[in-house]
Amino acid sequence: MPDATDIFELRLARSASDLWPMLDALYGADPRYPAMRDALLSEMRRAWRARPAALKTLDLQRDLEPDWFQRPDMLGYVFYIDRFAGDLQGVHDKLDYLSGLGVTYVHLMPCLKPRPGDSDGGYSVMDYRKINPAYGSMRDLEALSTALRARGMSLCIDMVLNHTAKEHDWAVKARKGDAAHRDMYLFFDDATLPRAYERTLIEIFPNDAPGSFTHYPDIDQWVWTTFNEHQWDLNWANPRVFLEIAKIMLFLANMGVDVLRLDAVAFMWKRMGTRCQSEPEVHMILRALRAVTRVCAACVLHLEEAIVGPAEMLSYFGRGEHDGREGNLAYHNNLMVQFWGALATRDTGLMSHVLRTHFPENLTNATYATYIRCHDDIGWAITDEDAGALGFSGAAHRAYLSDFYEGIFPGSFARGALFQANKTTGDKRISGSFASLAGLERALAEGDAHAVDLAVQRMLLGNALIASHGGVPLVYMGDEVALTNDYGYLGRPEHCHDSRWIHRPAMDWDRVAAAMGDPDSPQGRVLAGTRHIYARRKATHALHGGFACRIRDTGNPAVLAFQRIAPAQVLVCLFNFSEHWQTIPGQWLRDQGMTRGHDALSDGRIELPDDEFPLPPLGRVWLS
Ligand code: GLC
């Protein structure tokens, strides 16, 4: 019988080629590297010895069932602890609610100790080993992870890799002049290099935090601050940064965290003359970090957050030599953008083109995190090349979508808010809740029952899409009861500059009760419909994330079509993005292998007509 030490050594051998060659290439020339390598290995052994028995069992179980996160019963729910349940203790009382939705994966929005005051929604972390005191303690997190595990739910938390708060102990020491700590960040004596880098950098928060560097007069130094002034970029070229962050990740893994959401990973490596995004070294670092957790906490997944264009995004699963060795999960930002694009244009041409040309039908050891809304803005990640392939201008299309979802384009159903409009590039991003962007807020204000119905159908269309595309669908808190925009942020000094708070409302539990009590209300229909969609997903084996997703052309531009190809079954998923009835040739369905009509989504029989197959306004089916 192998003992725990044998298991560690076997796992180390399994992942050695993902770890040491990456570190050798990244840090081999650094005189500090040999010591760092030794320290890393002893930390890994220590973390493994300290790992609780229940988690070691889960490690083994997931080693034996490596597709556990690709299965159709996976459903994520994403929320702010305070806005959903008050604090970590309060979350326990909400677990029945989450179970009722079918949730098997819970993402607590940033919960590690943030800097005081504005902390970019918690993404400005001053202590990675403590919980935000307003939410509770590490012990509370551990207790929650145990409770979740007992229900078969996994726990995801944010781990910010690109920067720390300037109040983090390392940053405080760096500011005081300690050389070793200065080297953990990117300090410059004058503006020469910052200006040179800025020639090719893209501004992330051009309105609130222009530029990517901050000058501190007290020390007369420039510091690299890609995001906000209080978020200091880490120097990943320093092996010590790798070591310290790896230690923290193992610490969190031993608290029972199943999924580490690695925040803002694209920015981790800087290279003069580039955008300093998604540089090759980023992938080497991420592959090595994954190897570290795979050895010492094998059940843990890495969800990589890189909100970038289509081709660039795929690299976060590992492409080429890294294939299947980097992120287990990465956000399918493009599916989300294309969903909103197709809803506005009532045309799925660009969506089909992008999904077909850039995304492979299968991923290795990985799947997408699919979503329609999250806590961030929507950036119109549509390239000029992709727009051009369909014969229109990328810039004009992006501007159109922005106006449409801000709600100022004539005839728009949406209500949203601008986020960080960039006057230099003309780039405009959008904030807004799922329900408001889908038309519910405007329809209710105008008392237009038909428009309300359409908004409800748009929300169910989006859920049916992310439930079936392949990936772990993530429901964002409150979207299941159609919470509309929260304008209260405008009155809060710490939030009023950041329109993303428009779609970060407090959970409205009265609304939930009302939705449950009145299934015919718009909110009740969204709630019942959402539950139904994920229950049907769970019952539909062909939706396993390991099976291919093949985009098809139906000949009707209003209808998106893809096949989910399981060994003994092909599912044809159809989505009508228009507010009118649409048809698909019956022969087209037969050509896809449809012989008898069963809709896995409604779980009902469907007639396969000889001539045209009808789809209602915003209708969706999963035909088998
Ligand atoms: C990620 C987060 C976003 C945050 C940024 C900086 O993109 O999702 O909310 O502002 O990282 O940490």
Side-chain angles (χ1 to χ4, degrees), residues 393-413:
S393 138
H397 192 55
R398 292 189 294 270
Y400 158 73
L401 290 176
S402 193
D403 290 351
F404 190 95
Y405 285 106
E406 190 188 350
I408 59 173
F409 194 86
S412 166
F413 50 72

mmCIF file of all heavy atoms in Angstrom, residues 393-413:
data_model
loop_
_atom_site.group_PDB
_atom_site.id
_atom_site.type_symbol
_atom_site.label_atom_id
_atom_site.label_comp_id
_atom_site.label_asym_id
_atom_site.label_seq_id
_atom_site.Cartn_x
_atom_site.Cartn_y
_atom_site.Cartn_z
ATOM 1 N N SER A 393 -17.346 47.293 -40.109
ATOM 2 C CA SER A 393 -16.214 47.885 -39.406
ATOM 3 C C SER A 393 -16.252 47.497 -37.928
ATOM 4 O O SER A 393 -17.294 47.618 -37.274
ATOM 5 C CB SER A 393 -16.290 49.412 -39.564
ATOM 6 O OG SER A 393 -15.980 50.046 -38.347
ATOM 7 N N GLY A 394 -15.110 47.059 -37.423
ATOM 8 C CA GLY A 394 -15.032 46.680 -36.015
ATOM 9 C C GLY A 394 -15.344 47.853 -35.110
ATOM 10 O O GLY A 394 -16.140 47.737 -34.169
ATOM 11 N N ALA A 395 -14.738 48.997 -35.402
ATOM 12 C CA ALA A 395 -14.927 50.171 -34.536
ATOM 13 C C ALA A 395 -16.396 50.595 -34.515
ATOM 14 O O ALA A 395 -16.969 50.879 -33.456
ATOM 15 C CB ALA A 395 -14.041 51.314 -35.019
ATOM 16 N N ALA A 396 -17.010 50.610 -35.695
ATOM 17 C CA ALA A 396 -18.413 51.044 -35.766
ATOM 18 C C ALA A 396 -19.305 50.045 -35.031
ATOM 19 O O ALA A 396 -20.249 50.425 -34.326
ATOM 20 C CB ALA A 396 -18.853 51.167 -37.226
ATOM 21 N N HIS A 397 -18.996 48.767 -35.157
ATOM 22 C CA HIS A 397 -19.832 47.755 -34.509
ATOM 23 C C HIS A 397 -19.699 47.836 -32.991
ATOM 24 O O HIS A 397 -20.694 47.765 -32.264
ATOM 25 C CB HIS A 397 -19.455 46.369 -35.013
ATOM 26 C CG HIS A 397 -20.442 45.318 -34.619
ATOM 27 N ND1 HIS A 397 -21.786 45.419 -34.915
ATOM 28 C CD2 HIS A 397 -20.301 44.160 -33.924
ATOM 29 C CE1 HIS A 397 -22.424 44.364 -34.419
ATOM 30 N NE2 HIS A 397 -21.534 43.589 -33.806
ATOM 31 N N ARG A 398 -18.469 48.019 -32.531
ATOM 32 C CA ARG A 398 -18.265 48.136 -31.076
ATOM 33 C C ARG A 398 -18.995 49.362 -30.533
ATOM 34 O O ARG A 398 -19.633 49.324 -29.477
ATOM 35 C CB ARG A 398 -16.764 48.196 -30.752
ATOM 36 C CG ARG A 398 -16.028 46.879 -31.049
ATOM 37 C CD ARG A 398 -14.597 46.893 -30.528
ATOM 38 N NE ARG A 398 -13.740 47.848 -31.206
ATOM 39 C CZ ARG A 398 -13.011 47.589 -32.294
ATOM 40 N NH1 ARG A 398 -13.043 46.381 -32.849
ATOM 41 N NH2 ARG A 398 -12.250 48.511 -32.838
ATOM 42 N N ALA A 399 -18.923 50.459 -31.289
ATOM 43 C CA ALA A 399 -19.600 51.684 -30.844
ATOM 44 C C ALA A 399 -21.115 51.486 -30.826
ATOM 45 O O ALA A 399 -21.822 51.935 -29.911
ATOM 46 C CB ALA A 399 -19.226 52.845 -31.762
ATOM 47 N N TYR A 400 -21.602 50.780 -31.836
ATOM 48 C CA TYR A 400 -23.047 50.499 -31.902
ATOM 49 C C TYR A 400 -23.495 49.689 -30.675
ATOM 50 O O TYR A 400 -24.493 50.012 -30.023
ATOM 51 C CB TYR A 400 -23.365 49.754 -33.205
ATOM 52 C CG TYR A 400 -24.644 48.960 -33.162
ATOM 53 C CD1 TYR A 400 -25.877 49.603 -33.194
ATOM 54 C CD2 TYR A 400 -24.615 47.562 -33.073
ATOM 55 C CE1 TYR A 400 -27.059 48.869 -33.130
ATOM 56 C CE2 TYR A 400 -25.785 46.828 -33.009
ATOM 57 C CZ TYR A 400 -27.005 47.485 -33.035
ATOM 58 O OH TYR A 400 -28.165 46.761 -32.960
ATOM 59 N N LEU A 401 -22.735 48.632 -30.360
ATOM 60 C CA LEU A 401 -23.134 47.780 -29.227
ATOM 61 C C LEU A 401 -23.113 48.569 -27.926
ATOM 62 O O LEU A 401 -23.979 48.402 -27.056
ATOM 63 C CB LEU A 401 -22.218 46.556 -29.134
ATOM 64 C CG LEU A 401 -22.402 45.537 -30.264
ATOM 65 C CD1 LEU A 401 -21.385 44.409 -30.152
ATOM 66 C CD2 LEU A 401 -23.822 44.974 -30.270
ATOM 67 N N SER A 402 -22.127 49.438 -27.818
ATOM 68 C CA SER A 402 -22.039 50.239 -26.614
ATOM 69 C C SER A 402 -23.260 51.155 -26.491
ATOM 70 O O SER A 402 -23.889 51.236 -25.431
ATOM 71 C CB SER A 402 -20.733 51.035 -26.673
ATOM 72 O OG SER A 402 -20.483 51.571 -25.437
ATOM 73 N N ASP A 403 -23.598 51.824 -27.577
ATOM 74 C CA ASP A 403 -24.782 52.707 -27.547
ATOM 75 C C ASP A 403 -26.056 51.910 -27.291
ATOM 76 O O ASP A 403 -26.945 52.336 -26.548
ATOM 77 C CB ASP A 403 -24.923 53.460 -28.881
ATOM 78 C CG ASP A 403 -23.833 54.517 -29.062
ATOM 79 O OD1 ASP A 403 -23.102 54.772 -28.081
ATOM 80 O OD2 ASP A 403 -23.700 55.053 -30.179
ATOM 81 N N PHE A 404 -26.116 50.744 -27.903
ATOM 82 C CA PHE A 404 -27.314 49.920 -27.747
ATOM 83 C C PHE A 404 -27.510 49.566 -26.283
ATOM 84 O O PHE A 404 -28.591 49.706 -25.722
ATOM 85 C CB PHE A 404 -27.193 48.643 -28.601
ATOM 86 C CG PHE A 404 -28.478 47.871 -28.676
ATOM 87 C CD1 PHE A 404 -29.354 48.051 -29.739
ATOM 88 C CD2 PHE A 404 -28.824 46.976 -27.670
ATOM 89 C CE1 PHE A 404 -30.553 47.361 -29.788
ATOM 90 C CE2 PHE A 404 -30.027 46.284 -27.717
ATOM 91 C CZ PHE A 404 -30.892 46.474 -28.776
ATOM 92 N N TYR A 405 -26.432 49.107 -25.639
ATOM 93 C CA TYR A 405 -26.596 48.639 -24.256
ATOM 94 C C TYR A 405 -26.535 49.772 -23.228
ATOM 95 O O TYR A 405 -26.987 49.600 -22.105
ATOM 96 C CB TYR A 405 -25.632 47.480 -23.960
ATOM 97 C CG TYR A 405 -26.153 46.237 -24.640
ATOM 98 C CD1 TYR A 405 -25.549 45.719 -25.784
ATOM 99 C CD2 TYR A 405 -27.321 45.643 -24.197
ATOM 100 C CE1 TYR A 405 -26.078 44.620 -26.439
ATOM 101 C CE2 TYR A 405 -27.866 44.543 -24.852
ATOM 102 C CZ TYR A 405 -27.245 44.034 -25.963
ATOM 103 O OH TYR A 405 -27.794 42.959 -26.613
ATOM 104 N N GLU A 406 -26.051 50.912 -23.655
ATOM 105 C CA GLU A 406 -26.226 52.063 -22.767
ATOM 106 C C GLU A 406 -27.700 52.483 -22.806
ATOM 107 O O GLU A 406 -28.205 53.130 -21.892
ATOM 108 C CB GLU A 406 -25.312 53.226 -23.222
ATOM 109 C CG GLU A 406 -25.249 54.362 -22.210
ATOM 110 C CD GLU A 406 -24.512 55.595 -22.729
ATOM 111 O OE1 GLU A 406 -23.879 55.523 -23.813
ATOM 112 O OE2 GLU A 406 -24.592 56.633 -22.056
ATOM 113 N N GLY A 407 -28.355 52.084 -23.899
ATOM 114 C CA GLY A 407 -29.785 52.370 -24.027
ATOM 115 C C GLY A 407 -30.069 53.631 -24.813
ATOM 116 O O GLY A 407 -31.204 54.106 -24.833
ATOM 117 N N ILE A 408 -29.048 54.180 -25.474
ATOM 118 C CA ILE A 408 -29.272 55.435 -26.204
ATOM 119 C C ILE A 408 -29.457 55.209 -27.701
ATOM 120 O O ILE A 408 -29.795 56.132 -28.432
ATOM 121 C CB ILE A 408 -28.111 56.447 -25.964
ATOM 122 C CG1 ILE A 408 -26.774 55.869 -26.410
ATOM 123 C CG2 ILE A 408 -28.061 56.875 -24.497
ATOM 124 C CD1 ILE A 408 -25.620 56.881 -26.368
ATOM 125 N N PHE A 409 -29.250 54.001 -28.168
ATOM 126 C CA PHE A 409 -29.465 53.747 -29.594
ATOM 127 C C PHE A 409 -30.975 53.638 -29.822
ATOM 128 O O PHE A 409 -31.661 52.936 -29.078
ATOM 129 C CB PHE A 409 -28.754 52.451 -30.022
ATOM 130 C CG PHE A 409 -28.657 52.302 -31.508
ATOM 131 C CD1 PHE A 409 -27.607 52.871 -32.205
ATOM 132 C CD2 PHE A 409 -29.643 51.615 -32.203
ATOM 133 C CE1 PHE A 409 -27.537 52.753 -33.595
ATOM 134 C CE2 PHE A 409 -29.567 51.497 -33.593
ATOM 135 C CZ PHE A 409 -28.514 52.064 -34.288
ATOM 136 N N PRO A 410 -31.510 54.336 -30.849
ATOM 137 C CA PRO A 410 -32.965 54.317 -31.063
ATOM 138 C C PRO A 410 -33.486 52.882 -31.162
ATOM 139 O O PRO A 410 -32.915 52.061 -31.870
ATOM 140 C CB PRO A 410 -33.144 55.053 -32.397
ATOM 141 C CG PRO A 410 -31.914 55.906 -32.539
ATOM 142 C CD PRO A 410 -30.807 55.179 -31.840
ATOM 143 N N GLY A 411 -34.541 52.601 -30.402
ATOM 144 C CA GLY A 411 -35.153 51.273 -30.464
ATOM 145 C C GLY A 411 -34.525 50.261 -29.517
ATOM 146 O O GLY A 411 -34.984 49.122 -29.445
ATOM 147 N N SER A 412 -33.484 50.671 -28.785
ATOM 148 C CA SER A 412 -32.850 49.719 -27.875
ATOM 149 C C SER A 412 -33.806 49.291 -26.764
ATOM 150 O O SER A 412 -34.559 50.099 -26.239
ATOM 151 C CB SER A 412 -31.611 50.361 -27.238
ATOM 152 O OG SER A 412 -31.189 49.592 -26.134
ATOM 153 N N PHE A 413 -33.745 48.020 -26.405
ATOM 154 C CA PHE A 413 -34.551 47.547 -25.275
ATOM 155 C C PHE A 413 -33.795 47.672 -23.953
ATOM 156 O O PHE A 413 -34.344 47.455 -22.886
ATOM 157 C CB PHE A 413 -34.994 46.095 -25.497
ATOM 158 C CG PHE A 413 -33.883 45.138 -25.893
ATOM 159 C CD1 PHE A 413 -32.918 44.727 -24.982
ATOM 160 C CD2 PHE A 413 -33.819 44.640 -27.202
ATOM 161 C CE1 PHE A 413 -31.913 43.845 -25.349
ATOM 162 C CE2 PHE A 413 -32.807 43.754 -27.571
ATOM 163 C CZ PHE A 413 -31.844 43.359 -26.639
#
